[in-house]
Amino acid sequence: MKKHIQDLKVIENQAINSQYYLLKLRASGTLPEILPGQFAEVKVDKAPNTFLRRPISVHDVVYDKNELHLLIEKKGEGTITMADLQEGESLNLVYPLGNTWSIPAKTESVLLVGGGCGVAPLLFTARKLAENGIKVTTLIGGRGTANLLRIDAYKPFGEVFTSTEDSSHGETGFVTQHSVMQNLQAFDAVLTCGPEAMMKALGKMAQEQKVHCEVSLENTMACGIGACLVCVQDTKEGHKCVCTDGPVFNVNDLKW
Amino acid sequence: MVNTAVNLNGLKLKNPVMTASGTFGYGPEFQDFIDIERLGAYIVKGTTLHPRQGNPYPRMAETPSGMLNAVGLQNVGVDKFIADIYPNIKDFNSHAIVNVSGSQVEDYVETARKINELENIPAIELNISCPNVKEGGMAFGTSCPAAAEVIKAVRKVYSKHLMVKLSPNVTSVVDIAEVAEQEGADSVSLINTLLGIAIDAKTRKPILSTITGGLSGPAVKPVALRMVWQVAQAVNIPVVGLGGIMTAEDAIEFLLAGASAVQIGTANFIDPAITMKIVDGIESYMLEHGFEDVNELIGGMITE
Ligand SMILES: Cc1cc2nc3c(=O)[nH]c(=O)nc-3n(C[C@H](O)[C@H](O)[C@H](O)COP(=O)(O)OP(=O)(O)OC[C@H]3O[C@@H](n4cnc5c(N)ncnc54)[C@H](O)[C@@H]3O)c2cc1C
Ligand SMILES: Cc1cc2nc3c(=O)[nH]c(=O)nc-3n(C[C@H](O)[C@H](O)[C@H](O)COP(=O)(O)O)c2cc1C
Ligand code: FES
């Protein structure tokens, strides 16, 4: 797949709450083919201490409008600066980068589990799965209601469940304690992104119940294209680059 | 038409722009963004006799104008390079140069001997300056006797262009450069990364798994320029300058300081097409300032 370096125009930058925002971008020409789970390396201007690009997942793609949507959490200078981008400004992206999910053939039903901003790569995933006639169930978790993102966006693709640690929405506790998780074998695959502790716990449950499970990792990066080797994850086959061999890994391949 | 070609002691480059080892993969990683054949040369990843996994993650820490890395020479090893990678890069109409690294003299020698057999690799860059490996690496580049020993030994088995990459982590880079010249190096390149540390004040822990790492990017440019200038005055072999080059203007500053060619490193991470902009930018500079031959710029800093 050809990678591009392009300026995209900001068409909308919508604050979800004080911590998260949805950034909608438009390409001047036709968007390249993008696979669910892939990401972009975003260049942040006007942030003097942000030297490197920032890896951000593809949240959604609207091909007929050449729109690319990003869902971003304010973490530090880079992501805080991007929260102030105005309509009409441009943003330089290197994309699409990384691999995609590899669900088994004959998959009929998939569970998507997103923790906090980890729901980011799952919306385009849900859209593509649904297009292929696969049943999608989504579980969104977070500390409180403010950390449950984009619930309504997932609803057109299937049933959506929630859980919060502070009991403010859905079931109480971690996503791994949610009732849909108690019968994982109802799904052919579980795809997840979120805090590492969450993905590890979930991965372990999936392994115990012998359900295919893939996780999307967020190791820090420099180049994003397999040239610098700083983003490595220790796997059963040695160090692999999260930017090119990932970000999606089968949990069985990791040394978790 | 301006002349951008330079001659590094017999190694002819169509222009003075190369890429720096460890920042450009093996080259094909950048093919979607640039035309590799428009590079003067490109230097591939540090290659060792045996495959290496490198250091544990995390091995990168960002700084306001650069980054620390502690990759530790992760590479497939010279045999796999020859079998799997060389066939894919040997026909580019540019020069692929292999960065040869090691932890013992015998390893450097054996790797250089193997690379010497490859018809389309016209040069090696001997890395005696990697700060990220426990044994060897930088140890060879920070003492004159150790540098002399490894360069002499490699020179015996390597018949093509031998470029020696120098460490800035020394009291006198000129001393090491002079040793390289005496032991038969055809050129020297500098600088490798500057040893540094990043600490997370919140957790009170080091960010890198190895505690120390190598600093690169614009933060090191003034130091690199100074060292290139000092070395260019001291030796008669060509000097290849690098360290923090982000723009064509930065590259020209290195030429003015006395470098005959430059390498682009960390800048490739910020803009994977940067090398083409620098190639074009050097030409534009020459046209704008009335230079017909890039060689007129080399060592052209006006001091009086
Ligand atoms: C493939 C990939 C996809 C991603 N997708 C998204 C996304 O869709 N939306 C989103 O909001 N974020 C995403 N991230 C994370 C995002 O890249 C980081 O949050 C961002 O780079 C932080 O930059 P900053 O300048 O705001 O903060 P910084 O100032 O760089 O960091 C702020 C704090 O967060 C820590 N931190 C930064 N990056 C990481 C990391 N990768 N892992 C652990 N700790 C870190 C730092 O140590 C620091 O304490 C993704 C990361 C990867 C690798
Ligand atoms: C991620 C990374 C990996 C590197 N790997 C090597 C290497 O294998 N061999 C080597 O000689 N130098 C290596 N270097 C050093 C660069 O080639 C270069 O000397 C240094 O980064 C300074 O140039 P820059 O500021 O333009 O990046 C590496 C640098 C970085 C950032
Ligand atoms: S970020 Fe450079 S290799 Fe992955």
Side-chain angles (χ1 to χ4, degrees), chain A residues 228 230, chain B residues 20-23 45-46 67 69 71 73 99 101 125 127 129 165 191-193 216-218 220 242-245 263-267 269:
Chain A
C228 71
V230 305
Chain B
S21 178
T23 65
K45 238 180 253 248
M67 58 182 274
N69 90 81
V71 170
L73 297 175
N99 180 268
S101 302
E125 181 181 51
N127 178 10
S129 44
K165 186 164 182 182
I191 58 174
N192 207 316
T193 53
S216 64
V220 309
L242 73 152
I245 298 176
Q263 295 179 14
I264 316 303
T266 303
F269 306 158

Short mmCIF file of all heavy atoms in Angstrom, two decimals, chain A residues 228 230, chain B residues 20-23 45-46 67 69 71 73 99 101 125 127 129 165 191-193 216-218 220 242-245 263-267 269, ligand 2:
data_model
loop_
_atom_site.label_atom_id
_atom_site.label_comp_id
_atom_site.label_asym_id
_atom_site.label_seq_id
_atom_site.Cartn_x
_atom_site.Cartn_y
_atom_site.Cartn_z
N CYS A 228 13.49 3.56 11.99
CA CYS A 228 14.33 3.93 13.14
C CYS A 228 14.43 2.84 14.20
O CYS A 228 15.33 2.86 15.02
CB CYS A 228 13.80 5.22 13.76
SG CYS A 228 12.24 5.05 14.64
N VAL A 230 12.72 2.32 16.92
CA VAL A 230 12.55 2.68 18.34
C VAL A 230 11.24 2.14 18.91
O VAL A 230 11.09 2.07 20.13
CB VAL A 230 12.63 4.21 18.60
CG1 VAL A 230 13.92 4.79 18.06
CG2 VAL A 230 11.42 4.95 18.09
N ALA B 20 21.85 9.21 6.75
CA ALA B 20 22.65 8.73 7.88
C ALA B 20 22.19 7.35 8.33
O ALA B 20 20.99 7.06 8.36
CB ALA B 20 22.56 9.72 9.04
N SER B 21 23.14 6.54 8.72
CA SER B 21 22.85 5.17 9.15
C SER B 21 21.88 5.15 10.34
O SER B 21 21.98 5.94 11.26
CB SER B 21 24.14 4.50 9.55
OG SER B 21 23.88 3.19 10.00
N GLY B 22 20.95 4.20 10.28
CA GLY B 22 20.02 4.02 11.38
C GLY B 22 18.80 4.92 11.30
O GLY B 22 17.88 4.80 12.10
N THR B 23 18.80 5.82 10.32
CA THR B 23 17.66 6.74 10.20
C THR B 23 16.95 6.56 8.86
O THR B 23 15.97 7.23 8.59
CB THR B 23 18.12 8.20 10.27
OG1 THR B 23 18.94 8.49 9.13
CG2 THR B 23 18.92 8.47 11.54
N LYS B 45 21.40 0.80 7.64
CA LYS B 45 21.47 0.44 9.05
C LYS B 45 22.81 -0.13 9.49
O LYS B 45 23.44 -0.85 8.73
CB LYS B 45 20.45 -0.69 9.22
CG LYS B 45 19.38 -0.44 10.21
CD LYS B 45 18.47 -1.64 10.24
CE LYS B 45 17.20 -1.32 9.59
NZ LYS B 45 15.99 -1.16 9.90
N GLY B 46 23.19 0.11 10.73
CA GLY B 46 24.39 -0.49 11.30
C GLY B 46 24.29 -2.01 11.20
O GLY B 46 23.31 -2.60 11.64
N MET B 67 16.12 14.13 19.70
CA MET B 67 15.69 12.90 20.37
C MET B 67 16.90 12.12 20.85
O MET B 67 18.00 12.25 20.32
CB MET B 67 14.87 12.03 19.41
CG MET B 67 15.62 11.65 18.15
SD MET B 67 14.63 10.67 17.01
CE MET B 67 14.92 9.01 17.66
N ASN B 69 18.21 8.22 21.35
CA ASN B 69 17.85 6.85 21.02
C ASN B 69 18.82 5.90 21.67
O ASN B 69 19.96 6.25 21.95
CB ASN B 69 17.78 6.64 19.51
CG ASN B 69 19.12 6.21 18.93
OD1 ASN B 69 19.48 5.04 18.98
ND2 ASN B 69 19.86 7.17 18.39
N VAL B 71 18.72 2.41 20.47
CA VAL B 71 18.32 1.23 19.69
C VAL B 71 19.30 0.09 19.93
O VAL B 71 18.90 -1.06 20.11
CB VAL B 71 18.22 1.58 18.19
CG1 VAL B 71 18.04 0.32 17.35
CG2 VAL B 71 17.04 2.54 17.96
N LEU B 73 21.85 -1.03 17.88
CA LEU B 73 22.27 -1.80 16.71
C LEU B 73 21.42 -3.03 16.42
O LEU B 73 21.95 -4.09 16.07
CB LEU B 73 23.74 -2.21 16.83
CG LEU B 73 24.75 -1.05 16.88
CD1 LEU B 73 26.15 -1.60 17.13
CD2 LEU B 73 24.73 -0.26 15.58
N ASN B 99 26.98 0.58 6.87
CA ASN B 99 27.54 1.00 8.15
C ASN B 99 27.92 -0.27 8.91
O ASN B 99 27.07 -1.07 9.25
CB ASN B 99 26.47 1.82 8.89
CG ASN B 99 26.92 2.35 10.23
OD1 ASN B 99 26.71 1.70 11.25
ND2 ASN B 99 27.51 3.53 10.26
N SER B 101 29.32 -2.22 12.08
CA SER B 101 29.46 -2.04 13.51
C SER B 101 29.93 -3.34 14.15
O SER B 101 29.88 -4.39 13.51
CB SER B 101 28.12 -1.62 14.12
OG SER B 101 27.67 -0.43 13.52
N GLU B 125 30.99 2.42 5.94
CA GLU B 125 31.21 3.43 6.95
C GLU B 125 31.48 2.66 8.24
O GLU B 125 30.60 1.94 8.73
CB GLU B 125 29.97 4.32 7.11
CG GLU B 125 30.16 5.41 8.16
CD GLU B 125 28.92 6.27 8.35
OE1 GLU B 125 27.82 5.70 8.55
OE2 GLU B 125 29.03 7.50 8.29
N ASN B 127 31.64 2.13 11.86
CA ASN B 127 31.02 2.80 13.01
C ASN B 127 31.80 2.48 14.27
O ASN B 127 31.58 1.45 14.91
CB ASN B 127 29.55 2.35 13.11
CG ASN B 127 28.83 2.95 14.29
OD1 ASN B 127 29.34 3.84 14.97
ND2 ASN B 127 27.63 2.45 14.55
N SER B 129 31.65 4.46 16.83
CA SER B 129 31.12 5.56 17.62
C SER B 129 29.72 5.34 18.15
O SER B 129 29.07 6.26 18.59
CB SER B 129 31.15 6.83 16.77
OG SER B 129 30.68 6.58 15.46
N LYS B 165 33.44 6.59 10.89
CA LYS B 165 32.49 7.49 11.55
C LYS B 165 32.93 7.79 12.98
O LYS B 165 33.11 6.89 13.79
CB LYS B 165 31.09 6.87 11.55
CG LYS B 165 30.04 7.82 12.09
CD LYS B 165 28.66 7.37 11.73
CE LYS B 165 27.61 8.32 12.22
NZ LYS B 165 26.26 7.83 11.89
N ILE B 191 29.00 13.93 12.94
CA ILE B 191 29.19 13.23 14.19
C ILE B 191 28.15 12.13 14.37
O ILE B 191 27.04 12.21 13.81
CB ILE B 191 29.06 14.20 15.42
CG1 ILE B 191 27.70 14.87 15.43
CG2 ILE B 191 30.19 15.18 15.44
CD1 ILE B 191 27.44 15.73 16.69
N ASN B 192 28.52 11.13 15.16
CA ASN B 192 27.53 10.19 15.67
C ASN B 192 26.81 10.92 16.82
O ASN B 192 27.06 12.10 17.06
CB ASN B 192 28.20 8.90 16.14
CG ASN B 192 27.25 7.71 16.04
OD1 ASN B 192 26.09 7.82 16.42
ND2 ASN B 192 27.73 6.59 15.55
N THR B 193 25.95 10.23 17.52
CA THR B 193 25.13 10.92 18.53
C THR B 193 25.94 11.26 19.78
O THR B 193 26.93 10.63 20.10
CB THR B 193 23.94 10.03 18.94
OG1 THR B 193 24.45 8.75 19.32
CG2 THR B 193 22.97 9.87 17.79
N SER B 216 20.39 13.24 18.98
CA SER B 216 20.51 13.65 17.58
C SER B 216 19.48 14.73 17.30
O SER B 216 18.66 15.05 18.16
CB SER B 216 20.24 12.45 16.67
OG SER B 216 18.90 12.00 16.83
N GLY B 217 19.53 15.30 16.09
CA GLY B 217 18.58 16.34 15.72
C GLY B 217 19.18 17.72 15.88
O GLY B 217 20.35 17.87 16.24
N PRO B 218 18.38 18.77 15.63
CA PRO B 218 18.89 20.14 15.61
C PRO B 218 19.64 20.54 16.87
O PRO B 218 20.53 21.40 16.82
CB PRO B 218 17.63 21.00 15.47
CG PRO B 218 16.55 20.10 15.06
CD PRO B 218 16.95 18.69 15.31
N VAL B 220 21.99 19.14 18.28
CA VAL B 220 23.44 18.86 18.23
C VAL B 220 24.16 19.62 17.13
O VAL B 220 25.38 19.55 17.01
CB VAL B 220 23.73 17.34 18.06
CG1 VAL B 220 22.97 16.51 19.10
CG2 VAL B 220 23.40 16.83 16.65
N LEU B 242 27.59 15.67 9.45
CA LEU B 242 26.19 15.42 9.80
C LEU B 242 25.97 15.75 11.27
O LEU B 242 26.90 15.83 12.06
CB LEU B 242 25.79 13.97 9.53
CG LEU B 242 26.31 12.87 10.45
CD1 LEU B 242 25.33 11.71 10.47
CD2 LEU B 242 27.66 12.37 9.99
N GLY B 243 24.70 15.89 11.60
CA GLY B 243 24.30 16.22 12.96
C GLY B 243 23.30 17.36 12.92
O GLY B 243 23.68 18.52 12.77
N GLY B 244 22.02 17.02 12.96
CA GLY B 244 21.00 18.05 13.07
C GLY B 244 20.63 18.76 11.79
O GLY B 244 19.96 19.80 11.84
N ILE B 245 21.01 18.22 10.65
CA ILE B 245 20.66 18.89 9.39
C ILE B 245 19.16 18.69 9.11
O ILE B 245 18.69 17.57 8.99
CB ILE B 245 21.50 18.37 8.21
CG1 ILE B 245 22.98 18.67 8.47
CG2 ILE B 245 21.03 18.99 6.89
CD1 ILE B 245 23.92 18.10 7.41
N GLN B 263 25.26 14.13 5.56
CA GLN B 263 24.28 13.06 5.76
C GLN B 263 23.07 13.64 6.49
O GLN B 263 23.22 14.46 7.39
CB GLN B 263 24.87 11.92 6.60
CG GLN B 263 26.02 11.19 5.91
CD GLN B 263 26.59 10.09 6.80
OE1 GLN B 263 26.00 9.70 7.80
NE2 GLN B 263 27.76 9.60 6.41
N ILE B 264 21.90 13.14 6.08
CA ILE B 264 20.65 13.58 6.70
C ILE B 264 20.15 12.44 7.58
O ILE B 264 19.94 11.33 7.08
CB ILE B 264 19.58 13.92 5.63
CG1 ILE B 264 20.18 14.74 4.47
CG2 ILE B 264 18.38 14.60 6.26
CD1 ILE B 264 20.84 16.02 4.86
N GLY B 265 19.93 12.69 8.85
CA GLY B 265 19.53 11.63 9.78
C GLY B 265 18.13 11.82 10.32
O GLY B 265 17.13 11.57 9.63
N THR B 266 18.06 12.29 11.54
CA THR B 266 16.78 12.42 12.25
C THR B 266 15.72 13.18 11.44
O THR B 266 14.53 12.92 11.59
CB THR B 266 17.06 13.12 13.61
OG1 THR B 266 18.02 12.34 14.31
CG2 THR B 266 15.82 13.23 14.45
N ALA B 267 16.15 14.10 10.59
CA ALA B 267 15.18 14.88 9.79
C ALA B 267 14.28 13.98 8.95
O ALA B 267 13.13 14.33 8.66
CB ALA B 267 15.92 15.87 8.89
N PHE B 269 12.73 11.48 9.88
CA PHE B 269 11.57 11.05 10.68
C PHE B 269 10.48 12.12 10.66
O PHE B 269 9.31 11.82 10.80
CB PHE B 269 11.96 10.79 12.14
CG PHE B 269 13.11 9.83 12.33
CD1 PHE B 269 13.85 9.85 13.50
CD2 PHE B 269 13.43 8.90 11.34
CE1 PHE B 269 14.90 8.96 13.69
CE2 PHE B 269 14.49 8.01 11.52
CZ PHE B 269 15.23 8.05 12.70
C1 LIG C 2 17.28 5.97 15.72
C2 LIG C 2 18.72 6.17 15.33
C3 LIG C 2 19.52 5.07 15.00
C4 LIG C 2 20.86 5.23 14.64
N1 LIG C 2 21.60 4.14 14.29
C5 LIG C 2 22.90 4.31 13.89
C6 LIG C 2 23.69 3.21 13.45
O1 LIG C 2 23.23 2.06 13.39
N2 LIG C 2 24.98 3.43 13.07
C7 LIG C 2 25.53 4.70 13.11
O2 LIG C 2 26.69 4.87 12.74
N3 LIG C 2 24.80 5.76 13.50
C8 LIG C 2 23.50 5.60 13.89
N4 LIG C 2 22.76 6.70 14.28
C9 LIG C 2 23.39 8.03 14.29
C10 LIG C 2 23.07 8.80 13.02
O3 LIG C 2 23.54 8.13 11.87
C11 LIG C 2 23.68 10.20 13.08
O4 LIG C 2 25.07 10.11 13.25
C12 LIG C 2 23.12 11.04 14.22
O5 LIG C 2 21.77 10.80 14.38
C13 LIG C 2 23.35 12.55 14.01
O6 LIG C 2 22.72 13.03 12.86
P1 LIG C 2 21.24 13.70 12.84
O7 LIG C 2 21.21 14.73 13.92
O8 LIG C 2 21.08 14.25 11.47
O9 LIG C 2 20.31 12.59 13.12
C14 LIG C 2 21.42 6.54 14.63
C15 LIG C 2 20.61 7.64 14.95
C16 LIG C 2 19.28 7.49 15.29
C17 LIG C 2 18.45 8.70 15.64
#
